[in-house]
Amino acid sequence: MKRKDLLGLKDISADEIMLILNLAKEMRARLDEGQHKSSELVGKSVATLFYENSTRTRISFENAAKALGASTSNISAESSSIKKGESLIDTGRTLQKLLTDIIVLRHPCSGAAHLLANNLDIPVINGGDGTNEHPTQALLDMLTIYKSLGEFKGLKVVIVGDILHSRVARSNIWGLSKLGADITLVAPCTLLPAAAGKIMDCKISHNLSEAAIGANVIISLRVQLERQKYGLFPSIGEYHKYYGVTNQILYKADSNVLCMHPGPINRGLELSGQAADGESSMILEQVTNGVAVRMAVIKLLSGGLR
Ligand code: CP
């Protein structure tokens, strides 16, 4: 891959996405065969720099780097000199001088990954910036679809939930639409960006029961209560009744529907326990695909490393 950084799927081509997905598929096959260690990136160092909590993204980047033979370091805002007032750029430049080869950044501000990438010579991978993008989450979602259904063109994909605050939704919309999927966003008006459907190539619905009919993929999003400044729906019960993914919703979809969620799940809110644990659920498969996708991204961005 020619680029220095992976900051989002808005600015990368369909060919680059397929390059990552095909390599990730190979990585996943290696993991399934029990090959959890290689020496491809011995001597390289990957740092996760996280200003927000994470389980899946941070640990899968760490395990992906280790599986390629790289060393890892984890810097969290809570336990580093960030607490003493050090700026993002100063922290990044310090990590670069500490012989870090790649930085994975998670930050609550949209655009933080671009700012860091523009100020460093080493690759920066966006591990989620505010409500902007979470490209490796969308890539692992796409790998899950690709491995199960074999293609994207014409697939009916429903993305339901807190679209307004979701960087996962944005990255999936950019990525899936480039590969020809037919996307419908489903949410109450209060959880949809005002211009959704005009800026992005997708349909809009406020009725999950209707939108789910014949769907090949249903991606349910976490309701991001921590990013909501005031109540955007009347109650958890009402939200679940109209926008929760349940077995009743899955029965309306295609018989091979993939039920997906980026995690962490709020059971009983955006997803029923039966749907989360049922036959259609791909949620744990997504988690393992996250390691494979991050191996592929680290490897591709490592092309020009010292
Ligand atoms: N899906 C996702 O980004 O999960 P984490 O917040 O646990 O990394």
Side-chain angles (χ1 to χ4, degrees), residues 139-159:
L139 287 165
L140 77 86
D141 294 342
M142 294 173 80
L143 178 62
T144 305
I145 296 169
Y146 188 39
K147 280 182 81 252
S148 298
L149 304 178
E151 59 177 348
F152 297 97
K153 201 158 181 57
L155 281 186
K156 188 173 174 193
V157 179
V158 170
I159 304 179

Side-chain angles (χ1 to χ4, degrees), residues 53-58 106 134 137 262-264:
N53 294 345
S54 168
T55 299
R56 281 148 284 267
T57 310
R58 190 179 63 73
R106 171 167 287 192
H134 191 351
Q137 176 66 49

Side-chain angles (χ1 to χ4, degrees), residues 5 11 25 184 213 221 235 282:
D5 312 292
D11 299 320
K25 214 170 152 189
T184 303
I213 296 169
L221 301 170
S235 70
M282 302 302 286

Side-chain angles (χ1 to χ4, degrees), residues 23 29 43 52 60 65 69 72 75 90 93 99 107 114 143 161 166 180 187 194 200 215 232 262 265 276 280-281:
L23 183 58
E52 280 184 352
S60 61
T72 59
I75 304 97
D90 285 340
R93 285 180 178 153
L99 305 181
H107 201 283
H114 291 73
L143 178 62
S166 180
M200 296 176 276
L232 294 175
I265 304 167
S280 304
S281 177

